[in-house]
Amino acid sequence: LSSDEWEGRWLLVLDDLPDPGDEGISWVARDFPFGSGKTLATSRSQGWIEEGGAGNWGKLALEGMAEAEACAWVLRQVEAWAGEQAGVLELVRKLGCLPLAIEQAAAFAREYSIETPALYLAEQAKSSSKLRVQWEKRRKRDGEYAFSFAEVISLTFGRLIEADDDDSIGAIDLLRKMAFLHSDGIQKDLFQDTEWMHVIALKRHSLVVDSPLGGVS
């Protein structure tokens, strides 16, 4: 990409980059030939503004979901919460209008027939106290996901573990194996049929989604 032959003739997307100071990604900031072509980089870290050479980055800050948009999305996903507008508004504010967290909360409410947003928030509060202590003790990184996302994931995993049935245990085991792979386009043929059958449970909980590359992400 840095050769004269390809100069100005390529566009590369670097999606969801961690902080440029992270050891595993520092080579990108140090060695990537940003000036030889066009690069679109997405990241929650503001650190990338300083990378790529002075003036090489054009910054576009994307806002989260608006409260009205987030509430409308939840009410479409969880039909049992029709008429719970005030409770849904409290929920999306608690989750900081973070799309991933809101999607997880809605999937949880559907899967476990949570009757109201207030009941969801009460269950989340019970499961979050120990997690909050661990979260505050850890080393923070620029651009990391908000605590609200960790809360909803932890609540989902807790329910799967409590279920203690073959499908729930199989779903957790499958997700752990997927964690060793690239996050996009995970293919069925990498797993045994008896493992892949649990992908349906992961989809119900919004822990994986269908990928445009085939398989799941």
Side-chain angles (χ1 to χ4, degrees):
L1 294 180
S2 60
S3 67
D4 292 339
E5 178 184 1
W6 286 98
E7 184 172 1
R9 298 177 59 191
W10 54 266
L11 168 65
L12 190 67
V13 178
L14 303 176
D15 186 38
D16 199 18
L17 292 174
D19 186 79
D22 283 10
E23 182 178 349
I25 203 67
S26 59
W27 69 270
V28 174
R30 183 180 65 247
D31 299 328
F32 191 80
F34 291 110
S36 297
K38 300 293 185 181
T39 308
L40 173 62
T42 69
S43 178
R44 291 177 301 279
S45 171
Q46 297 295 311
W48 288 101
I49 298 172
E50 308 299 328
E51 301 298 338
N56 282 351
W57 286 123
K59 175 186 175 183
L60 176 62
L62 300 179
E63 302 295 332
M65 297 176 77
E67 288 183 353
E69 180 185 10
C71 288
W73 192 89
V74 171
L75 289 169
R76 288 196 302 270
Q77 298 298 314
V78 190
E79 295 180 358
W81 287 359
E84 291 283 344
Q85 284 83 356
V88 170
L89 178 59
E90 181 182 1
L91 172 65
V92 300
R93 285 176 174 173
K94 172 69 169 58
L95 300 179
C97 288
L98 180 65
L100 285 173
I102 292 170
E103 182 181 7
Q104 282 290 321
F108 185 94
R110 289 196 310 270
E111 179 69 14
Y112 297 107
S113 301
I114 306 300
E115 295 180 359
T116 66
L119 289 174
Y120 176 87
L121 287 171
E123 183 160 356
Q124 185 186 70
K126 286 191 298 183
S127 71
S128 296
S129 56
K130 291 183 179 180
L131 181 64
R132 170 70 73 174
V133 173
Q134 296 171 345
W135 183 270
E136 294 299 334
K137 287 182 178 180
R138 53 187 283 282
R139 183 170 66 89
K140 306 298 188 298
R141 297 187 177 186
D142 183 31
E144 66 184 15
Y145 283 107
F147 178 68
S148 59
F149 184 57
E151 282 184 297
V152 294
I153 291 292
S154 177
L155 185 58
T156 296
F157 265 82
R159 274 296 187 98
L160 285 170
I161 292 170
E162 287 174 8
D164 196 29
D165 56 46
D166 290 343
D167 195 29
S168 297
I169 294 171
I172 292 173
D173 288 343
L174 176 60
L175 192 62
R176 284 172 174 161
K177 291 180 179 180
M178 287 180 173
F180 289 99
L181 305 173
H182 189 279
S183 59
D184 203 9
I186 300 174
Q187 301 297 315
K188 175 182 178 180
D189 57 10
L190 296 174
F191 301 91
Q192 298 178 15
D193 289 343
T194 53
E195 294 176 315
W196 191 257
M197 62 184 289
H198 300 296
V199 78
I200 298 173
L202 295 180
K203 289 181 179 180
R204 290 201 312 267
H205 290 84
S206 287
L207 292 171
V208 300
V209 296
D210 290 323
S211 170
L213 302 176
V216 298
S217 299

